[in-house]
């Protein structure tokens, strides 16, 4: 079944890759293969030995296996399982332990005898860990080795917890977790300081010895590392790349996770476009020209016939006739992305000769002022990702609203709250009972270094972020009555990985849309945020828009996606580029500075520890430099957006 979805081999990919329209379909197919294997072993035969993974990736696979058990009688009586890994220091009943995860998602719902389940034990004392690991390997050998190994991939390229640096000969052992991995898990543990530092994991060698290996990868945030694992050199820096060395492996991806592969990013390098069912449409033309300009380090208008020919782009030249014509096509497309009037201009005050307001839809071009809704997942994404554009929209006289989708309370440290409590304690503003409580909380923090977790304290943390957002918006000229703090309830779930959108989330978003009837919506299309909050916020918008399709404003609304602190748009994805002056860059910096509690967020050891304002400035300056290098114009900085058709957006597939 996987074979049907396996891509034709090409010289860039070093392992077989199957791509599915969605992770759900992919999971069903993998579950089907596992079910077939289980059913093909007769009673009395050697058991089927499954190597299991945890994390968000296999959740839908386990759900399908449970369904097959319940509805189609798939029995696990003759199955033995070995999990890849477990955090050190977590008891099996800890809600974030992998023991617990496996019970919740699989073991409690199928007829797998407890004696046939194996996971490394995270509570083994240090001195006994080596012996425990050897025993784990021995148990795998004793049942005849692993028949089918399921894998996910971490953002560091890890399989199991084989972090960069693990060798191909490594066996089950104690490992130290990479800072990126810990950061990704920090949300589940209520902060980095509570996240385990080490784990026991099967080694690379242990994994490679399995008779069949399927690595699954979903979502845009995995696209880059998947490309490295599939197309890059085999290297201990990306341990998933070791899988290139075995014949029994399959990578199973959804469409967006496969998006960075050469066949999708630069398909002309793979072969003629027609052979791949593709055409030289506007997007492809632009993407190719931008790529060529960067490869040749030349502005677009200086590319020659030789540049195209030597890069194997004769087909593109044939479409346009000459390098000159091809260049112009690419150049105009890029030039038309630039506007200093992101919401359009007051038509009454527009004089002939004024700069054009290019990328806006004709239908709303003459509406002035526009109702603009900026959706900010956390209370700082607005200024971090589009602070300059926000200031412009306000200055141009539009009715700008900012809606903060989640409270952001989880990212406020106890120390930040303690400082606010000190103010309450010392200002003498609270009634005697409250003053006493606050005094006690401060004293607790001073002795233990932590505050107790409670809904009330979480609410206070949310207020701190709210006030920072109000101050930042004020820098952009936005009064507090244009700010909407939605506090979407999905964010309050105890475990980040178990967060799901609910009816109330969508209803809150839908109500806001109905109330504002926006002409323009700016939303975070930044799906690489480590905790997945941005993705859920975008889903919430998507579902809310789906409910609004019959409302009169829907047919006119324009949707622009920004990307923020963690990644930028590729040049060829940009539809709207808003240039900023040096003064505007400084103003945006002042706005970002108002989010004082978020400075710690950038202080993870080993990670790019630049603060948000720096990341923002670097990214928007680099983008301006890239536009300049293409031969367009020399700006101080640029904020970029991608147009998203609201109609197409209603299909989650793209997320
Ligand atoms: C899980 C494991 C890890 C995960 C990887 C991806 O047992 O060993 O390698 O597969 O970290 O995690 P998710 O699926 O949560 O993105």
């Amino acid at each position: 079944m996987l074979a049907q979805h396996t891509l034709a081999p090409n010289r860039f990919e070093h392992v077989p890759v199957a791509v599915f329209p969605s992770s759900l379909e992919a999971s069903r197919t993998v579950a089907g293969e596992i079910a077939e294997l289980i059913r093909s072993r007769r009673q009395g035969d050697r058991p089927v030995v499954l190597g299991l993974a945890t994390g968000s990736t296999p959740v839908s696979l386990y759900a399908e296996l449970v369904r097959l058990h319940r509805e189609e009688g798939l029995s696990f009586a003759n199955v033995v399982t070995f999990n890849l890994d477990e955090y050190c220091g977590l008891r099996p009943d800890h809600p974030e332990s992998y023991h617990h995860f496996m019970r919740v998602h699989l073991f409690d719902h199928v007829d797998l005898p407890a004696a046939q389940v194996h996971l490394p034990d995270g509570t083994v004392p240090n001195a006994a860990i080596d012996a425990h690991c050897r025993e784990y390997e021995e148990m795998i050998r004793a049942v005849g080795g692993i028949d089918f190994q399921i894998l996910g991939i971490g953002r560091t390229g890890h399989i199991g917890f084989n972090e960069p640096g693990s060798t191909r000969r490594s066996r089950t052992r104690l490992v130290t977790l990479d800072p990126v991995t810990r950061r990704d898990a920090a949300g589940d543990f209520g902060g980095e300081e509570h996240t385990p530092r080490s784990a026991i994991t099967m080694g690379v060698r242990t994994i490679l010895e399995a008779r069949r290996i399927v690595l699954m990868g979903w979502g845009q945030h995995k696209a880059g590392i998947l490309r490295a694992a599939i197309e890059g050199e085999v290297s201990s820096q990306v341990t998933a790349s070791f899988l290139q060395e075995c014949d029994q492996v399959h990578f199973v991806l959804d469409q967006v996770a496969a998006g960075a592969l050469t066949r999708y990013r630069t398909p002309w390098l793979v072969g003629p476009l027609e052979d791949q069912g593709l055409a030289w449409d506007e997007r492809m033309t632009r993407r190719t020209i931008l790529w060529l300009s960067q490869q040749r380090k030349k502005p677009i208008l200086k590319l020659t016939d030789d540049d195209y020919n030597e890069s194997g782009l004769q087909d593109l030249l044939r479409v346009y006739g000459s390098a000159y014509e091809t260049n112009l096509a690419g150049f105009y497309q890029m030039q038309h992305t630039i506007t200093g009037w992101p919401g359009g201009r007051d038509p009454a005050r527009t004089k002939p000769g004024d700069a054009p307001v290019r990328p806006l839809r004709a239908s709303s071009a003459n509406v002035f002022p526009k109702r603009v809704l900026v959706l900010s997942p956390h209370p700082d994404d607005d200024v971090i990702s589009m602070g300059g554009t926000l200031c412009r929209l306000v200055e141009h006289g539009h009715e700008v609203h900012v809606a903060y989708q989640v409270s952001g309370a989880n990212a406020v440290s106890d120390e930040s709250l303690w400082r606010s409590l000190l103010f309450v304690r010392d200002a003498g503003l609270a009634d005697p009972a409250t003053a006493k409580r606050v005094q006690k909380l401060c004293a607790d923090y001073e002795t233990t270094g932590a505050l107790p977790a409670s809904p009330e304290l979480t609410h206070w943390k949310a207020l701190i972020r709210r006030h920072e957002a109000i101050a930042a918006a004020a820098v952009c000229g936005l009064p507090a009555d244009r700010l909407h703090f939605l506090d979407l309830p999905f964010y309050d779930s105890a475990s980040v990985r178990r967060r799901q959108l609910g009816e109330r989330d969508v209803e809150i978003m839908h109500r806001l849309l109905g109330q504002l009837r926006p002409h323009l919506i700016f939303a975070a299309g930044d799906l690489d945020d480590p905790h997945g909050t941005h993705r859920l916020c975008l889903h919430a918008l998507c579902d809310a828009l789906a409910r609004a399709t019959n409302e009169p404003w829907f047919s006119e609304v324009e949707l622009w996606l920004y990307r923020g602190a963690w990644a930028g748009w590729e040049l060829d994805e940009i539809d709207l580029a808003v240039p900023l002056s040096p003064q505007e860059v400084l103003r945006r910096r002042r706005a970002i500075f108002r989010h004082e509690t978020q400075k710690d967020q950038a202080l993870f050891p080993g990670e790019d520890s630049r603060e948000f304002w720096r990341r923002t400035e670097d990214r928007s300056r680099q983008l301006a430099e890239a536009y300049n290098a293409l031969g367009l114009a020399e700006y101080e900085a640029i904020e970029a957006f991608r147009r998203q058709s609201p109609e197409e957006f209603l299909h989650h597939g793209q997320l």
Side-chain angles (χ1 to χ4, degrees):
M1 280 179 287
L2 271 182
Q4 268 173 23
H5 294 267
T6 303
L7 304 172
N10 70 41
R11 69 194 162 92
F12 295 95
E13 293 159 21
H14 307 308
V15 285
V17 180
V19 177
F20 287 80
S22 74
S23 58
L24 216 63
E25 287 168 63
S27 301
R28 283 195 192 126
T29 309
V30 177
E33 194 179 317
I34 295 173
E36 222 173 87
L37 173 68
I38 295 175
R39 288 189 173 120
S40 69
R41 282 260 164 108
R42 284 193 309 269
Q43 273 298 312
D45 283 357
R46 196 173 69 76
V48 172
V49 184
L50 299 181
L52 301 180
T54 51
S56 56
T57 309
V59 169
S60 44
L61 169 74
Y62 296 148
E64 176 63 6
L65 288 175
V66 170
R67 191 195 68 75
L68 287 170
H69 169 70
R70 285 200 181 135
E71 296 177 13
E72 299 182 19
L74 178 68
S75 170
F76 289 76
N78 194 32
V79 170
V80 170
T81 66
F82 286 89
N83 263 79
L84 282 166
D85 39 23
E86 178 58 285
Y87 290 115
C88 282
L90 297 199
R91 292 159 42 103
D93 57 355
H94 188 288
E96 294 307 328
S97 75
Y98 287 164
H99 282 76
H100 186 260
F101 175 99
M102 288 309 302
R103 281 199 303 277
V104 169
H105 290 284
L106 185 66
F107 299 158
D108 283 355
H109 314 289
V110 295
D111 60 340
L112 179 62
Q116 288 162 215
V117 162
H118 306 87
L119 288 98
D121 182 350
T123 62
V124 169
N126 254 352
I129 285 186
D130 287 350
H132 176 65
C133 294
R134 276 196 302 275
E135 206 179 300
Y136 203 68
E137 292 273 334
E138 189 42 51
M139 286 192 295
I140 296 175
R141 251 191 306 275
V143 288
I146 292 172
D147 291 305
F148 196 107
Q149 177 66 55
I150 294 157
L151 296 175
I153 183 169
R155 287 199 303 142
T156 59
H158 70 211
I159 46 176
F161 275 139
N162 293 286
E163 299 289 18
S166 304
T167 68
R168 62 159 71 72
R169 289 195 308 277
S170 53
R171 291 278 181 194
T172 303
R173 68 202 186 289
L174 174 71
V175 290
T176 305
L177 298 176
D178 188 279
V180 175
T181 301
R182 292 188 66 229
R183 179 170 196 153
D184 284 353
D188 295 337
F189 288 94
E192 200 252 348
E193 63 278 21
H194 309 297
T195 307
R197 295 180 181 278
S198 53
I200 297 176
T201 181
M202 279 187 198
V204 175
R205 182 76 159 273
T206 327
I207 294 170
L208 297 191
E209 280 173 358
R211 279 181 278 280
R212 172 95 171 114
I213 303 174
V214 169
L215 183 147
M216 302 183 296
W218 327 133
Q220 195 176 38
H221 60 302
K222 296 284 172 75
I225 195 66
L226 281 164
R227 176 189 169 135
I230 294 168
E231 300 192 352
E233 291 190 353
V234 177
S235 144
S236 63
Q237 290 311 300
V238 180
T239 51
S241 67
F242 286 127
L243 297 169
Q244 294 178 18
E245 295 180 340
C246 29
D247 301 326
Q248 73 282 23
V249 69
H250 232 111
F251 277 53
V252 175
L253 314 182
D254 68 5
Q255 199 70 53
V256 275
L261 297 179
T262 303
R263 69 170 74 231
Y264 297 118
R265 281 297 307 147
T266 48
W268 53 89
L269 297 178
V270 173
L273 289 194
E274 309 81 73
D275 296 357
Q276 304 172 64
L278 300 168
W280 291 110
D281 56 19
E282 270 197 8
R283 278 269 170 197
M284 188 69 79
T285 300
R286 159 145 74 121
R287 198 195 293 175
T288 314
I289 294 168
L290 294 175
W291 171 83
L292 187 64
S293 160
Q294 285 171 327
Q295 288 289 309
R296 296 269 154 169
K297 298 191 173 46
K298 281 182 177 180
I300 296 173
L301 294 177
K302 288 191 178 172
L303 293 171
T304 63
D305 286 335
D306 288 347
D307 289 320
Y308 283 90
N309 281 325
E310 287 164 19
S311 306
L313 291 170
Q314 293 85 351
D315 286 357
L316 179 59
L317 273 190
R318 211 170 313 124
V319 173
Y320 286 89
S322 67
Y324 179 79
E325 295 295 337
T326 321
N327 292 346
L328 280 182
F331 182 82
Y332 285 135
Q333 275 197 56
M334 279 315 277
Q335 197 182 43
H336 289 176
T337 62
I338 304 172
T339 183
W341 297 84
R345 204 196 313 247
D346 182 353
R349 290 212 230 137
T350 306
K351 304 181 297 296
D354 277 345
V357 187
R358 279 180 285 239
L360 288 178
R361 256 189 193 182
S363 59
S364 67
N366 288 327
V367 178
F368 186 89
K370 289 194 175 63
R371 286 184 299 277
V372 181
L373 170 60
V374 174
L375 287 168
S376 178
H378 296 97
D380 56 357
D381 294 303
D382 53 342
V383 288
I384 288 175
S385 306
M386 53 170 291
T389 307
L390 187 60
C391 292
R392 283 209 166 195
L393 288 163
V394 176
E395 233 164 54
H396 292 169
H398 297 289
E399 183 187 321
V400 181
H401 296 257
V402 181
Y404 302 100
Q405 291 172 280
V406 306
S407 77
N410 299 346
V412 176
S413 65
D414 286 351
E415 188 209 14
S416 300
L417 178 55
W418 167 66
R419 286 169 49 190
S420 297
L421 292 176
L422 284 180
F423 175 80
V424 177
R425 187 190 70 182
D426 296 344
L429 301 172
D431 60 74
T434 312
K436 213 163 151 204
R437 270 187 61 220
V438 168
Q439 202 156 17
K440 162 111 180 48
L441 284 169
C442 290
D444 280 356
Y445 178 81
E446 282 150 25
T447 44
T448 65
L451 287 167
S454 78
E456 189 183 31
L457 265 63
T458 305
H459 174 62
W460 291 349
K461 287 183 172 182
L463 282 181
I464 292 180
R465 294 213 65 181
R466 194 176 275 209
H467 297 150
E468 289 175 344
I470 292 171
V475 173
C476 303
L478 259 179
D481 61 7
R482 291 278 174 81
L483 309 182
H484 308 261
F485 295 93
L486 303 183
D487 291 343
L488 294 184
F490 81 79
Y491 182 75
D492 300 332
S493 154
S495 162
V496 173
R497 283 183 202 206
R498 283 196 282 278
R499 279 181 188 161
Q500 277 184 346
L501 278 189
E503 167 58 27
R504 284 233 303 127
D505 299 300
V506 181
E507 184 43 39
I508 291 171
M509 289 289 298
H510 181 215
R511 205 171 335 117
L512 179 79
L513 292 174
Q515 178 195 333
L516 298 181
R517 293 171 290 115
H519 300 100
L520 299 180
I521 299 176
F522 290 86
D526 175 351
L527 306 179
D528 289 331
D529 72 313
H531 310 317
T533 308
H534 289 205
R535 195 166 328 130
L536 283 175
C537 284
L538 200 56
H539 276 242
L541 171 64
C542 205
D543 290 350
L545 281 172
R547 291 184 187 184
T549 47
N550 291 328
E551 294 168 25
W553 56 271
F554 182 84
S555 57
E556 300 229 322
V557 71
E558 282 194 65
L559 177 56
W560 296 100
L561 299 183
Y562 60 81
R563 297 190 95 194
W566 308 101
W569 293 117
E570 298 287 341
L571 272 178
D572 65 276
E573 293 174 311
I574 296 172
D575 295 307
L576 170 62
V578 180
L580 305 185
S581 68
Q583 288 76 9
E584 286 170 310
V585 171
L586 285 179
R587 187 172 177 195
R588 179 179 63 184
R589 186 190 298 179
R590 272 197 288 126
I592 298 173
F593 277 177
R594 296 298 173 269
H595 294 280
E596 280 178 40
T597 60
Q598 296 312 294
K599 289 190 176 156
D600 286 356
Q601 289 294 305
L603 291 177
F604 277 77
E607 262 218 308
D608 173 2
S609 62
R610 287 167 307 155
E611 285 185 35
F612 285 130
W613 69 272
R614 264 205 192 284
R615 289 170 194 250
T616 298
E617 282 185 20
D618 290 352
R619 181 154 298 128
S620 59
R621 285 216 169 90
Q622 282 158 10
L623 184 57
E625 279 159 23
Y627 265 68
N628 190 26
L630 293 171
L632 285 143
E634 191 169 354
Y635 297 109
E636 176 72 8
I638 290 181
E639 288 178 347
F641 304 86
R642 206 189 81 191
R643 183 196 291 284
Q644 176 70 57
S645 132
E647 293 82 7
E648 281 174 22
F649 182 60
L650 301 182
H651 305 289
H652 275 192
Q654 306 192 35
L655 309 179

